[in-house]
Amino acid sequence: MRICFFGDSVINGTGDDDGLGWVGRVVAQARRGGCDVTAYNLGIRRGTSADVAARWAGEARLRLPHEHGPAWRAWTKEPA
């Protein structure tokens, strides 16, 4: 499973002494539970909701396979 994580410094892991951040902890727990996860940490420090809204679809499109079909296209407003 591929997951893109978008957000600000909480997603990015800024200030985390262990270097894991929220994303690293979630992914580690999922893997311990037997889930094959590929994570893309796309958090940018001081990123705003407007910043994420402007970039998420393009960033996700580069990392996620297109075999998600019509639901993916509708969600990202991608033409068929």
Side-chain angles (χ1 to χ4, degrees):
M1 173 184 342
R2 296 179 190 186
I3 305 172
C4 292
F5 294 88
F6 292 92
D8 59 8
S9 57
V10 172
I11 298 300
N12 174 276
T14 299
D16 182 1
D17 292 336
D18 294 328
L20 293 173
W22 181 82
V23 171
R25 287 175 171 73
V26 168
V27 171
Q29 182 66 30
R31 288 182 179 157
R32 280 193 295 274
C35 198
D36 182 19
V37 176
T38 299
Y40 298 98
N41 187 335
L42 302 168
I44 296 178
R45 189 173 179 198
R46 296 186 182 152
T48 66
S49 296
D51 295 335
V52 172
R55 70 183 178 89
W56 80 267
E59 295 274 352
R61 197 174 291 118
L62 294 171
R63 292 163 177 86
L64 301 176
H66 291 259
E67 64 249 12
H68 295 293
W72 169 256
R73 287 191 296 275
W75 193 41
T76 61
K77 298 180 176 84
E78 194 173 275

